[in-house]
Amino acid sequence: MTIPPIDGSVSRPDQIRNFVERYEGGECLFLMPVAISTNAAVLEGLAATPARFDEFAANFKRALGFAPSIGARLITDQQCAAVRFLNQSRGERLRTPRILLASTDVPNGETLNGTVENVANRTVELLLISDAGQVQNLSSLMKPGIDVLAFSIGMQKSDGPARPQLLMAVATAQPVDALKLQRPVAADQFFPKVLADTQAEGTNMTAAARYFRLGK
């Protein structure tokens, strides 16, 4: 765990953003600022256990003097490789793609509708990471618009309780072969290879993810 120092030379909102984005809370914690002001912070988070959020909140309050509001989303251990990738591929805030979902609860057999925004003149790959940690490339389902890509994904799942899913958009300056899957691949194999290939090629990359639940 790494707790970032507070930089007194920047504004209070920037102090908060820097703390969130530079905080290293272990192998399976991702936090993203949603709304920041002088004395308030609304965050979205992904982690495999509630303890990760509790520890972060305690450190945040100790460093900044107030408790953040966290939209805590619990994922599976098999999805943690996707969370590590999100942390490792943080880019400029203004260039990160945005995923908007019509619903974050999708019944079996229904359709997940949404858009990817802030595309600009970049290649965007749309990935689905299941609760079992299997990654699929669904980019063929996206339809282009003006700086936006729309998608409709028919969802299928076996009977059982609702399970956490992650939808990820990866934006790159040029196409990356490692992202173009022909079949589902385990997340802990897929994401390290993508990161290694893009770093070796010097490719600029940013990624965003949204959580949703699939089930009854």
Side-chain angles (χ1 to χ4, degrees), residues 111-131:
T111 301
L112 175 69
N113 296 305
T115 57
V116 181
E117 299 183 348
N118 201 28
V119 173
N121 189 27
R122 293 179 291 173
T123 298
V124 176
E125 301 289 344
L126 188 66
L127 307 174
L128 176 67
I129 303 96
S130 73
D131 55 286

Side-chain angles (χ1 to χ4, degrees), residues 114-117 119 122 124 142-151:
T115 57
V116 181
E117 299 183 348
V119 173
R122 293 179 291 173
V124 176
M142 293 191 296
K143 298 180 180 179
I146 300 175
D147 197 32
V148 65
L149 298 166
F151 56 83

Side-chain angles (χ1 to χ4, degrees), residues 28-98:
C28 198
L29 175 68
F30 177 76
L31 294 157
M32 180 183 70
V34 175
I36 302 293
S37 65
T38 302
N39 290 301
V42 179
L43 314 175
E44 289 284 341
L46 301 169
T49 64
R52 296 286 190 188
F53 296 117
D54 295 340
E55 184 178 50
F56 167 81
N59 288 324
F60 182 101
K61 185 174 182 179
R62 189 176 301 114
L64 294 159
F66 67 94
S69 174
I70 305 175
R73 311 289 186 240
L74 292 177
I75 61 172
T76 66
D77 290 338
Q78 293 88 341
Q79 292 170 317
C80 285
V83 167
R84 288 193 293 272
F85 178 78
L86 287 171
N87 281 315
Q88 293 166 328
S89 60
R90 281 190 188 271
E92 298 177 22
R93 298 184 198 113
L94 296 179
R95 290 181 56 79
T96 302
R98 292 186 297 271

